[in-house]
């Protein structure tokens, strides 16, 4: 049984590990950020929500945008 994914604030590491649970945390973050950067519409949406590459976490609004574009983890 899988847990229901909740839209809330996540650190990059937390969210990345939701998408890549069997990866090293740093590798998971790198993979997630590569997916996000490749999806230009998502990348633009996040930037319009004041996302900065040095941010350590995602707001609930940013997480919702990620899930809408990439699907639930």
């Amino acid at each position: 049984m899988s847990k229901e994914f909740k839209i809330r604030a996540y650190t990059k590491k937390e969210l990345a590990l939701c998408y890549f649970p069997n990866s090293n945390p740093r590798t998971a973050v790198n993979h997630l950020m590569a997916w996000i950067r490749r999806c230009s519409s998502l990348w633009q949406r996040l930037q319009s929500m004041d996302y900065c590459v040095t941010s350590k976490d995602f707001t609930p609004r940013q997480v919702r945008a990620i899930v809408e574009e990439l699907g639930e983890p």
Side-chain angles (χ1 to χ4, degrees), residues 23-63:
S23 294
N24 170 295
R26 186 73 231 146
T27 303
V29 169
N30 289 341
H31 285 315
L32 178 60
M33 295 313 298
W35 278 13
I36 289 171
R37 281 190 299 274
R38 270 188 240 132
C39 184
S40 60
S41 60
L42 174 56
W43 184 242
Q44 290 172 358
R45 281 179 75 183
L46 291 176
Q47 289 178 320
S48 74
M49 295 177 197
D50 297 324
Y51 172 77
C52 177
V53 293
T54 60
S55 298
K56 300 290 184 204
D57 45 39
F58 293 111
T59 67
R61 191 167 155 227
Q62 292 167 340
V63 170

Side-chain angles (χ1 to χ4, degrees), residues 5 8-19 29 32 56-57:
F5 182 77
R8 63 172 178 83
Y10 284 87
T11 65
K12 280 184 182 177
K13 181 170 78 171
E14 282 180 305
L15 188 59
L17 287 171
C18 289
Y19 280 95
V29 169
L32 178 60
K56 300 290 184 204
D57 45 39

Side-chain angles (χ1 to χ4, degrees), residues 61-73:
R61 191 167 155 227
Q62 292 167 340
V63 170
R64 183 176 310 282
I66 293 166
V67 170
E68 286 173 0
E69 294 279 345
L70 301 179
E72 279 192 19

